[in-house]
Amino acid sequence: MLPLYLLAQNTYNFSGVVVNKETKEQIGLVAIQLTELNRWTTSNLNGEFNFDNIPEGRYTIQASCLGFERHEGVVVINRNVEKYKLSMLASSLGLDEITVVARENTSLSSSSTIENAAIEHSQPTSLTDIMQLVPGQITLTPDLSKANQITIRDINTYSGEDRTRQANANDALGTAIIIDGTPMDNDANMQSLNTTTLRQSDEFSTAGGGIDLRQISTDYIESVEVIRGIPSVQYGDLTSGAVLIKTKSGKTPFKGKVKADPKIKQAAISKGILLKGENKGAVNVEFDYTHAYDDLRRPARSYKRLNGQFGYSNILFKKHRPLSINFKGNYFQTIDNEKKDPDQRQLERQREKESGVDLKLYGKWSLQKWWIGNITYNFSGSLTQQDFYSYALNNTSATPLPTSFLPGEYAVEILPSRYYSELTVEGKPYNYFATVKLDSRFKLGSMSNSVMYGFDWRESGNNGEGRQYDLNRPPLNAITTRPRAFKDIPASKKLALFAEDRISLPLGNNTLETQIGIRYNNFLPKGIFSTNGFTSFEPRINFAYHISQNLTIRGGFGKTSKTPTMLHMYPDAAYIDKISFNYYPPDSPDLIVATTEIIEDTGNPDLKPMTNNKYELGADFNIYGINFILTGFREKIRNGFGWENQYFIMNYRKWDQLGNGFLPAFEKGEITYEVNGEMMTLGWDQETEFERYMSPKNNYSVDKKGVEYVVNFGRINPIKTELMVDGAYYHIKRPRHAVPVVERITSSYKGDYFPYLAVLPGNSGTISQRLNSNFRTITHIPELKMIFSLNLQTIWINKSESFWENSSGSPVAYTRGENNDKLYGQFPAGEIIYVDPVGFYDMDMQYYEWQDNYSFEAPYSTMVERQEDDFYDTESYPVNWQLNLKFTKEFGKFAKLSFFAYNVFNHRPLYKSNRSGYFRLNQIAYFGADLTFSL
C-alpha cells in the first residue's frame, strides 16, 4: 500500500500563471486543484502558482475564482512544466455558455448544484426560492410573512392565493443547512409558551423544528449544493438531506442591488478587496436590508431584516504546503419590533425581535505526507438574542390564580373574568461547532483509494431568562405551567467520529466507483464511547458503475439520524389546578380552595433519535445526444418527534356546598365555619378525574418513494435555445399518529365523567401523490448579453387520501352491514364509518384489550370513533399548469436588470373539492424585478 505520489518513479514541478482570457490580466487568489491527487494551491497576486513533487501522469486540473467561470481541463505531466498558462473567462452573459439551472451531480449520490449565475437569474428572496430549481419542486410566490423552512424530496405547495404552506416540522428539522462547512443549529431554540398544552408554539418561533431561512441573505451566496441522496458520513445530525452553502470570498467590484415585487423590497451592497502586498489576502464586506409584508392591511405580519457579513481569506505557504485561512463573521437583526394589528384592542401590543452573530474560522492545510494529504478544519460559534413581548386581553371563567409551586391544597384567589397580561420570552441560544478531517490517497494494485476520517463536536445551550410573567395576571395559555428560565436547562452536546473510503476500480473498459463510510454518534457523551444519552452507528454506501461514456448505473443505501432538540428533551413542568371549594357569598369575603398537582418531569426517558433509511437506484445515459438522468428512491423515516397527551388519575377533595351568611376558613387542611357560636367542619367527597399533560414522543413516521428525472435535449444553435425537462413523482405516506393514541371521551356517563380512556390504533394519516414536469426553454444571446427562460410548470397528478391501517397494512375502518357485521375497507355513500379502539384504561389506569362485542355495548360503544362517509375518499385534482418567465440583461460591465413573472396568464381554474367546496388552483400572477450596479 503506497501513496499515489510514491507509485511513480519520477516526480516533477508544475508551475504556471492564471490569466483573464479576454484582457490577459493576471488573476490572483485562484483556487487550483489536481483532482486525482487531491493536491491544491492558489495563485499569488501575479497569478502565479506552483506544485512540486508531482508524479508522472495525466490529471484533471480545475480552477475556480469568484467572478470567473469554473475552468476544467487535462494536463499531462512527464517533465518539469514552468510556464503553463491557465486561462479563465470572467462571468458574463456575453459568454458562449452559461448555466442558469441546477446542475445534477450524479457520480455517486444524487445532488443538485446551483451556481452563482443560476442564483442571480432566479432572483431569490430566500433560500426557499433557490430550492425551486431542484427536480420535483414547483415555483411558488415568495412569502416572508412567516418562517421559511425547507424540506427535501417533499411536496412543496401553497395554502392560499399568495402564500406558501408551512413545511413539516420534523422534515425541516431533519434538513441540515450547512454554510461554509458549519451546520446551522436550532436545537437550543426554546421560544415557546407552554409545551404541556400547546406543544411547539409556531406563533413564537421555529422551536422544535428547522431553521428559519429568512435570516440568510441570498446575496452572500456563491453556490448551493442540495444533497438529496445518501450524504457523505462527514455530514450528520440530519435525516432528509443536506443543503451546502458556499458564501462569496475574493475580489469583487463594488455592487449595489435593489429588488422589488408586490410584497418584498430589498437592497444590498457588497465589495471584495485584495489587500495590497504579497500574502495579505482578501476582505469581503456585504450588507443587506429586506422589508416584506403579507398584506398592507395586516402590518402585524410584516417582516424587516438587516444582515451584514465580513470575511477575510488568505493562503499561506503557497509554494509547498498551502494553508488556507478563512474567517467569516455574520450579523442579522429583525427591526420590526412593534407589531400592532388593527384588529387588536387599543391597548394590546406585541413585539418580536431577533438578532444574532456567528463567527467561524475554517480552511485546509495541504501536508502531502505518506499518511495524510490534507487537514480540513472548522471552528465556529454563534449567539442569538430572541425577545418576544405580548400585552394581551384574556377572558376567563372561575380560574384559580396559578401561584403555587408545590403540590397540595391552598386558599387562592380567582382570576378576573377579563384582564390584561404581560408576557416576555427571552432566549439566548448559543452553538459551538468544531470539526477536523484528514484525508489521504493510495493505491492497492489497480484500485485507487481516497480515505477521509475525522470527528466533529457540537454544543448547544440557552442562557436566556426564558418565560416571564406576573403569576397574578398570567397569560391564559400559560396557566398549566409556570415561569421558567432557559438558562437553567442543561446544554446539548454531541460527539461524532466518521471514516470513509472512496474507491475507484477499473474493470476492463469499465470503472466501478464506491463510497463506503461509517459514522458514530454519541449524544450527551461522558467519554468517547460512554454516554448519558445514546449512541448510534450510521453505515452509508454509494456506488456508480460506469459501463461506458453513455451509460452509468448508480445506487446506494444509508442510515441517517437527528437527535431531539432541547425543547423535546426538557419540556415544561405541568401544574394542574382544580377548584376544590368555591364560595362566593354576596355580602361576605370569598373563599376558594384549589388543589394543585405537579408533574415536574414531563419528559420522555425513552425518547430516541429520529432515523431515516435511504435507498437509491439510478441511471444516467445518453441517446442520440439527449442526456437522461433518472433516480428512484425510497426513504423510511421513523421515530420522528411529536407531542401526545399523557393521562393520569387525579384524586382531590371536593367540599360540600355552603349557603350564604357564613365566614368559612381554610385551616390545617379543613374548611370550618361557625353556626350559632359552634365551629363546624365542612364535609367533602373524594373526586377522581382523568387529567393530562403533553409529553414528547416518537410518534412521527413517513414513507417516501418516487422517481426524479432530468432530460436535457441540448442547445438548438440556430435559435440559441436550450431545451430541458425536469420533475419528479412523489408518493408520501405520512401518519398523523404512528403509534396508538390515548383519547379522553368528553361525554358523560350516568351523570358523571366517562370512566374510560380510549386507546385508538396508530398508523393513521394521509397519502399524497404528485407528478410534475418543468418544461424549460433557456434562450441565451451572448451578443446582446441577454438570457430569457420560460418554464411551463405542469402538474399531471396531484391527489391525496386518508388512511387508517393496522401493522399489516389492512384498513381498521369499517361500515356496518345489515346484521351489524363489520365491513372493513368498504365505505358506501351515506354510511357512517367506524374505527374500534385497540383497548382502554379504567379509572385505576388498568389496561384492557378491546373485545369485538364492545363495539355494540354501552358504555364501551361510546369509545368507537365515527367518521363521515367521504373521509377516505381520494381527492384528485385535474391536470394543472402555469407559465413562468425570467429575464436577465447586462448593460456593459456596470449594470444588470432582471425580471420575473410567475403564472404569467394568471391561469387559476376553479375547482370543487369533495370536502372544502370551491377554490382556485394556482397562485395569483406575481412579478418583480431587480437592478444591480457594479463599479
Side-chain angles (χ1 to χ4, degrees):
M1 183 176 71
L2 292 173
L4 286 177
Y5 67 85
L6 293 180
L7 293 174
Q9 292 181 346
N10 301 315
T11 61
Y12 302 98
N13 289 336
F14 173 45
S15 60
V17 63
V18 186
V19 299
N20 185 316
K21 189 172 183 178
E22 294 181 345
T23 65
K24 309 305 180 184
E25 294 177 345
Q26 297 162 338
I27 309 172
L29 288 186
V30 177
I32 306 158
Q33 182 176 13
L34 298 177
T35 307
E36 290 80 4
L37 299 177
N38 201 20
R39 293 283 302 273
W40 63 275
T41 188
T42 60
S43 60
N44 61 22
L45 293 181
N46 296 319
E48 299 166 341
F49 67 90
N50 178 76
F51 291 97
D52 56 10
N53 296 321
I54 301 299
E56 183 176 343
R58 178 184 175 93
Y59 304 107
T60 302
I61 184 170
Q62 294 179 338
S64 60
C65 182
L66 186 63
F68 289 84
E69 292 297 299
R70 187 181 301 273
H71 171 89
E72 182 170 315
V74 175
V75 59
V76 177
I77 306 294
N78 52 21
R79 56 183 175 82
N80 290 326
V81 178
E82 297 180 354
K83 296 182 179 181
Y84 185 85
K85 189 173 183 180
L86 197 157
S87 300
M88 300 184 70
L89 289 166
S91 298
S92 168
L93 296 183
L95 299 179
D96 291 335
E97 294 184 9
I98 191 167
T99 301
V100 294
V101 294
R103 176 172 52 84
E104 291 302 296
N105 306 320
T106 58
S107 60
L108 286 170
S109 178
S110 59
S111 67
S112 303
T113 298
I114 304 159
E115 301 286 357
N116 187 248
I119 294 173
E120 291 184 352
H121 185 64
S122 66
Q123 304 161 60
T125 55
S126 78
L127 192 61
T128 53
D129 299 330
I130 298 175
M131 290 290 294
Q132 294 171 11
L133 294 173
V134 176
Q137 299 301 290
I138 63 173
T139 299
L140 298 174
T141 299
D143 183 5
L144 299 184
S145 65
K146 59 178 180 295
N148 277 205
Q149 297 174 303
I150 58 173
T151 60
I152 294 175
R153 284 178 170 162
D154 208 348
I155 297 175
N156 67 325
T157 186
Y158 48 87
S159 60
E161 64 179 17
D162 60 352
R163 295 178 190 157
T164 56
R165 181 169 297 172
Q166 196 76 1
N168 178 273
N170 273 283
D171 292 354
L173 179 65
T175 301
I177 310 297
I178 302 172
I179 302 180
D180 294 325
T182 299
M184 298 188 70
D185 197 313
N186 200 43
D187 285 3
N189 187 344
M190 298 289 291
Q191 296 293 102
S192 63
L193 178 57
N194 183 358
T195 63
T196 68
T197 58
L198 300 177
R199 307 177 177 90
Q200 298 156 212
S201 301
D202 293 338
E203 176 187 356
F204 293 89
S205 70
T206 60
I211 296 292
D212 184 356
L213 300 175
R214 293 180 299 177
Q215 61 188 267
I216 303 174
S217 172
T218 56
D219 290 293
Y220 306 166
I221 297 176
E222 181 179 349
S223 66
V224 175
E225 182 181 0
V226 181
I227 302 176
R228 308 189 304 275
I230 296 97
S232 166
V233 293
Q234 64 185 300
Y235 305 120
D237 210 31
L238 57 87
T239 53
S240 299
V243 179
L244 312 182
I245 300 171
K246 181 181 178 183
T247 60
K248 296 176 180 177
S249 294
K251 182 181 178 180
T252 63
F254 176 85
K255 285 189 176 183
K257 175 182 174 181
V258 290
K259 176 181 173 65
D261 63 45
K263 296 195 299 181
I264 301 171
K265 307 294 183 287
Q266 285 184 311
I269 57 173
S270 63
K271 172 67 176 175
I273 305 169
L274 284 181
L275 301 178
K276 293 182 179 180
E278 190 65 30
N279 291 330
K280 299 298 183 180
V283 171
N284 291 81
V285 181
E286 298 101 357
F287 295 97
D288 167 90
Y289 171 77
T290 298
H291 180 196
Y293 45 86
D294 178 55
D295 190 325
L296 287 174
R297 298 165 297 180
R298 304 181 66 187
R301 295 179 64 91
S302 67
Y303 177 79
K304 298 177 185 177
R305 180 204 69 204
L306 181 66
N307 276 77
Q309 180 168 281
F310 171 84
Y312 171 78
S313 55
N314 198 2
I315 308 292
L316 305 178
F317 322 127
K318 291 185 177 70
K319 290 187 176 181
H320 302 291
R321 292 183 174 86
L323 168 65
S324 68
I325 299 174
N326 299 274
F327 172 80
K328 291 286 177 70
N330 183 73
Y331 176 80
F332 79 93
Q333 176 182 333
T334 59
I335 53 179
D336 49 336
N337 296 342
E338 183 84 18
K339 293 190 174 184
K340 175 66 177 172
D341 195 308
D343 294 333
Q344 289 179 310
R345 293 170 177 84
Q346 184 176 3
L347 295 178
E348 290 187 304
R349 290 290 184 273
Q350 181 174 305
R351 292 196 298 269
E352 292 180 69
K353 183 178 180 181
E354 186 171 8
S355 60
V357 60
D358 64 80
L359 305 173
K360 59 175 72 78
L361 178 68
Y362 62 97
K364 181 186 290 189
W365 194 7
S366 178
L367 295 177
Q368 300 306 320
K369 300 293 185 180
W370 70 267
W371 55 279
I372 182 172
N374 298 280
I375 298 177
T376 303
Y377 63 92
N378 188 311
F379 306 101
S380 61
S382 67
L383 176 64
T384 305
Q385 175 78 40
Q386 300 170 322
D387 295 294
F388 177 88
Y389 171 82
S390 173
Y391 186 76
L393 181 66
N394 299 266
N395 296 290
T396 67
S397 60
T399 303
L401 279 175
T403 56
S404 58
F405 282 86
L406 295 173
E409 296 169 332
Y410 302 94
V412 298
E413 295 182 12
I414 291 292
L415 283 168
S417 59
R418 287 167 61 88
Y419 67 92
Y420 282 94
S421 66
E422 282 189 290
L423 167 69
T424 299
V425 185
E426 183 202 55
K428 292 182 178 179
Y430 64 86
N431 300 284
Y432 303 127
F433 174 75
T435 185
V436 175
K437 293 176 287 188
L438 295 81
D439 64 63
S440 62
R441 297 195 176 202
F442 59 87
K443 272 195 171 184
L444 292 172
S446 61
M447 182 173 66
S448 299
N449 298 70
S450 178
V451 176
M452 181 271 299
Y453 48 97
F455 76 92
D456 67 51
W457 169 264
R458 308 173 193 223
E459 180 174 338
S460 303
N462 196 314
N463 288 324
E465 294 297 329
R467 191 170 51 246
Q468 304 170 65
Y469 53 86
D470 183 359
L471 285 172
N472 293 308
R473 292 295 183 267
L476 190 58
N477 288 331
I479 285 176
T480 59
T481 188
R482 298 293 185 267
R484 184 188 192 190
F486 298 156
K487 62 185 179 182
D488 297 335
I489 299 171
S492 173
K493 301 177 182 179
K494 308 168 194 176
L495 171 68
L497 308 176
F498 48 85
E500 185 175 86
D501 189 6
R502 183 164 179 165
I503 303 168
S504 179
L505 178 63
L507 299 174
N509 295 325
N510 306 327
T511 303
L512 175 65
E513 283 188 86
T514 60
Q515 179 178 288
I516 304 173
I518 186 75
R519 182 180 178 91
Y520 164 76
N521 302 305
N522 190 339
F523 181 58
L524 304 179
K526 290 193 297 184
I528 295 178
F529 299 105
S530 59
T531 184
N532 290 316
F534 35 72
T535 60
S536 63
F537 288 92
E538 298 176 7
R540 302 178 195 173
I541 181 171
N542 289 290
F543 73 87
Y545 186 40
H546 304 286
I547 300 174
S548 68
Q549 289 186 344
N550 294 324
L551 177 60
T552 296
I553 304 296
R554 52 190 166 77
F557 163 78
K559 184 175 182 179
T560 58
S561 66
K562 176 70 185 79
T563 56
T565 69
M566 288 176 58
L567 193 70
H568 294 110
M569 291 294 295
Y570 308 104
D572 297 327
Y575 292 74
I576 312 298
D577 299 297
K578 306 293 290 188
I579 293 181
S580 293
F581 180 69
N582 192 356
Y583 189 65
Y584 281 112
D587 54 357
S588 60
D590 301 342
L591 176 63
I592 297 94
V593 177
T595 301
T596 299
E597 184 76 26
I598 301 176
I599 297 89
E600 289 283 358
D601 185 4
T602 62
N604 181 356
D606 298 321
L607 202 64
K608 304 172 184 176
M610 177 169 54
T611 63
N612 189 5
N613 289 339
K614 300 168 73 81
Y615 306 83
E616 254 194 7
L617 184 63
D620 314 326
F621 52 95
N622 183 291
I623 301 176
Y624 298 113
I626 302 174
N627 291 314
F628 296 83
I629 300 173
L630 301 178
T631 304
F633 68 90
R634 190 180 190 95
E635 299 186 4
K636 291 181 177 291
I637 297 177
R638 296 294 182 267
N639 296 325
F641 311 119
W643 302 83
E644 284 195 1
N645 286 317
Q646 302 298 310
Y647 287 90
F648 65 96
I649 297 299
M650 183 171 177
N651 296 305
Y652 66 100
R653 292 192 291 176
K654 189 81 171 179
W655 272 272
D656 299 339
Q657 294 293 324
L658 187 63
N660 294 333
F662 298 97
L663 293 174
F666 180 68
E667 296 178 347
K668 297 180 180 180
E670 297 295 341
I671 295 177
T672 59
Y673 61 100
E674 185 177 344
V675 177
N676 298 325
E678 182 179 355
M679 295 304 296
M680 307 292 290
T681 300
L682 190 64
W684 53 269
D685 293 318
Q686 186 76 25
E687 289 282 329
T688 301
E689 290 184 33
F690 291 118
E691 274 300 339
R692 63 183 178 179
Y693 60 90
M694 303 209 82
S695 179
K697 196 168 186 177
N698 294 117
N699 63 355
Y700 174 84
S701 68
V702 61
D703 291 330
K704 299 182 181 182
K705 59 183 178 181
V707 177
E708 299 164 330
Y709 61 91
V710 177
V711 183
N712 193 327
F713 295 91
R715 179 180 172 88
I716 304 175
N717 289 321
I719 59 174
K720 302 181 183 297
T721 299
E722 181 181 358
L723 304 178
M724 63 181 301
V725 182
D726 64 71
Y729 168 72
Y730 290 144
H731 181 285
I732 300 176
K733 187 175 184 180
R734 179 175 281 122
R736 286 184 295 270
H737 301 285
V739 296
V741 59
V742 181
E743 287 194 358
R744 181 166 59 183
I745 307 302
T746 56
S747 60
S748 62
Y749 179 67
K750 293 183 178 181
D752 206 345
Y753 299 109
F754 193 82
Y756 302 116
L757 293 171
V759 182
L760 295 173
N763 202 25
S764 65
T766 57
I767 298 174
S768 302
Q769 299 180 65
R770 186 172 77 187
L771 171 63
N772 81 296
S773 297
N774 293 308
F775 297 92
R776 303 181 191 271
T777 66
I778 303 162
T779 301
H780 176 210
I781 306 175
E783 296 82 1
L784 299 179
K785 294 188 175 181
M786 184 187 77
I787 194 161
F788 179 84
S789 63
L790 287 174
N791 172 17
L792 179 60
Q793 175 179 291
T794 307
I795 300 177
W796 307 100
I797 298 174
N798 187 13
K799 56 185 178 180
S800 63
E801 60 183 297
S802 297
F803 71 91
W804 204 334
E805 301 170 343
N806 58 25
S807 58
S808 62
S810 300
V812 299
Y814 63 88
T815 54
R816 294 174 179 174
E818 295 181 358
N819 300 316
N820 273 341
D821 48 329
K822 299 179 180 180
L823 308 176
Y824 288 95
Q826 301 180 36
F827 312 122
E831 294 291 329
I832 297 175
I833 301 174
Y834 303 90
V835 177
D836 290 337
V838 294
F840 59 91
Y841 291 95
D842 65 11
M843 295 295 288
D844 295 321
M845 292 306 290
Q846 180 72 36
Y847 180 75
Y848 297 90
E849 296 284 347
W850 185 262
Q851 305 299 319
D852 195 59
N853 59 297
Y854 289 167
S855 306
F856 311 101
E857 296 178 4
Y860 311 110
S861 58
T862 306
M863 293 185 282
V864 177
E865 182 86 1
R866 289 164 173 81
Q867 299 165 332
E868 297 295 331
D869 61 343
D870 62 351
F871 187 83
Y872 296 99
D873 290 352
T874 299
E875 186 85 72
S876 185
Y877 302 93
V879 174
N880 188 29
W881 61 270
Q882 73 175 50
L883 183 67
N884 310 312
L885 69 85
K886 293 176 182 177
F887 168 84
T888 303
K889 173 73 171 73
E890 286 184 359
F891 299 91
K893 296 182 179 180
F894 305 106
K896 180 188 293 185
L897 175 66
S898 297
F899 172 81
F900 74 88
Y902 298 156
N903 197 8
V904 175
F905 298 113
N906 201 29
H907 176 67
R908 305 187 66 225
L910 191 65
Y911 173 74
K912 184 180 184 300
S913 169
N914 296 334
R915 300 188 183 92
S916 55
Y918 287 94
F919 67 90
R920 292 194 176 275
L921 303 176
N922 289 340
Q923 296 179 292
I924 60 174
Y926 196 83
F927 56 89
D930 67 56
L931 180 63
T932 302
F933 295 94
S934 300
L935 300 177

